[in-house]
Amino acid sequence: MKFNRVLVFAFMAASFSLTSCQNEEEVTSSSEISEQTINAIKTMGFSTQNVQRAEGGYLVEGDIILKESDLRDAGKVQALRVGEAEQYRTTNLVTGLPRVITVSVDPKLPASYVAAVDEALARYNAEGIQLTFQRVTSGASINLVAAPKNAQYLASAGFPTSAGQPHNEVKIATRHIGTNPNRSWLATILAHEIGHCIGFRHTDYMDRSYSCGGGYTNEGASTVGAIQVPGTPASADPNSWMLACIGSGQNRPFNTNDKTALGYLY
């Protein structure tokens, strides 16, 4: 089965039959979500297709969690121009640089996941940015936990808070990923979700069909919370770690444009 998210790398980020960046406990149809909520999601610049209720808020674009507090602040975000396939960041970023971001792995996750987590963190640390990632056993800035058993995604995460803190949780659907997955594939998924936690959106934000397949998906001409990172290309980028979807077993280390985006923001 092909998964469309790298995060969607696993839906988020990316996802195919499942999204690689989702974290949903109770899945409901978008028709059960109020028009006010749908409008707030649209105002923030996110796709309103297949919105699902999730633990703590709403799951959008396959692997991104929006909390009720995010939706209440929807009208406070500046309007942004529409781009094509550049790297994008959210309005909020992690502050207090230079800074160590600690990451923990829930003991309920398969022991084999630890090596993939270490690989994902090593990818970031190799870039020499002002965020250093360190795995710890407790009290972490970002906690990697098991997703609900009925999760219809590979993994999911949210975005930094208005106070400049990284999103504190990545949920991983072990029933879809398996207990002993390809290490580099899982490292890519986790690096993608951590990318969301520190403020990155999907590289194919303007057309998720680029990595996920299916029909053309454009989020509309008036967007917020998706700011192009200067220095990244306006043309398609087929290998970015922040593409919305990822194929099973695929490895996407940071490419040149990804490195540019990481270096510019951090």
Side-chain angles (χ1 to χ4, degrees):
M1 169 181 246
K2 184 181 183 183
F3 290 96
N4 311 343
R5 254 302 164 201
V6 165
L7 336 179
V8 124
F9 293 177
F11 166 3
M12 94 197 172
S15 0
F16 308 134
S17 304
L18 296 180
T19 37
S20 62
C21 295
Q22 295 169 246
N23 86 13
E24 180 52 44
E25 191 163 297
E26 295 181 0
V27 178
T28 59
S29 69
S30 58
S31 63
E32 298 175 15
I33 298 173
S34 71
E35 183 177 355
Q36 180 180 8
T37 296
I38 293 296
N39 288 338
I41 291 170
K42 183 177 181 180
T43 297
M44 293 184 72
F46 294 94
S47 171
T48 57
Q49 294 185 11
N50 299 318
V51 175
Q52 300 172 6
R53 290 189 184 277
E55 183 181 17
Y58 300 90
L59 181 69
V60 302
E61 298 185 15
D63 69 332
I64 298 169
I65 295 297
L66 295 179
K67 299 178 181 178
E68 292 285 358
S69 58
D70 296 326
L71 299 183
R72 287 196 295 270
D73 291 339
K76 301 178 183 178
V77 189
Q78 68 189 89
L80 303 165
R81 74 174 182 82
V82 173
E84 294 179 10
E86 307 92 341
Q87 274 75 353
Y88 288 89
R89 71 170 178 88
T90 54
T91 303
N92 296 330
L93 295 175
V94 175
T95 58
L97 308 177
R99 179 171 179 177
V100 175
I101 302 294
T102 53
V103 179
S104 66
V105 182
D106 192 308
K108 295 179 182 178
L109 290 170
S112 62
Y113 284 28
V114 173
V117 172
D118 288 344
E119 181 176 330
L121 302 187
R123 292 183 185 187
Y124 281 101
N125 291 336
E127 296 308 310
I129 58 178
Q130 294 189 77
L131 294 179
T132 301
F133 292 84
Q134 179 181 2
R135 182 165 58 82
V136 297
T137 56
S138 63
S141 306
I142 302 174
N143 302 294
L144 306 186
V145 301
K149 292 182 179 180
N150 64 341
Q152 297 301 306
Y153 52 81
L154 296 179
S156 66
F159 295 128
T161 69
S162 59
Q165 300 300 318
H167 184 73
N168 64 355
E169 190 173 73
V170 172
K171 292 188 177 181
I172 306 169
T174 57
R175 75 181 183 117
H176 301 307
I177 291 177
T179 58
N180 191 29
N182 176 280
R183 187 181 71 181
S184 293
W185 176 60
L186 180 55
T188 297
I189 292 172
L190 298 177
H192 176 109
E193 298 304 331
I194 291 172
H196 284 316
C197 291
I198 64 174
F200 281 93
R201 288 199 58 178
H202 296 140
T203 302
D204 48 353
Y205 153 81
M206 285 308 300
D207 182 11
R208 288 177 53 235
S209 69
Y210 182 73
S211 66
C212 302
Y216 178 79
T217 302
N218 185 304
E219 295 178 9
S222 179
T223 60
V224 291
I227 306 169
Q228 183 203 351
V229 178
T232 61
S235 58
D237 188 349
N239 299 308
S240 174
W241 104 107
M242 289 307 299
L243 289 175
C245 297
I246 189 172
S248 181
Q250 186 174 8
N251 180 29
R252 285 185 187 143
F254 301 136
N255 67 17
T256 300
N257 298 323
D258 297 334
K259 293 172 183 283
T260 297
L262 283 163
Y264 183 88
L265 296 187
Y266 294 111

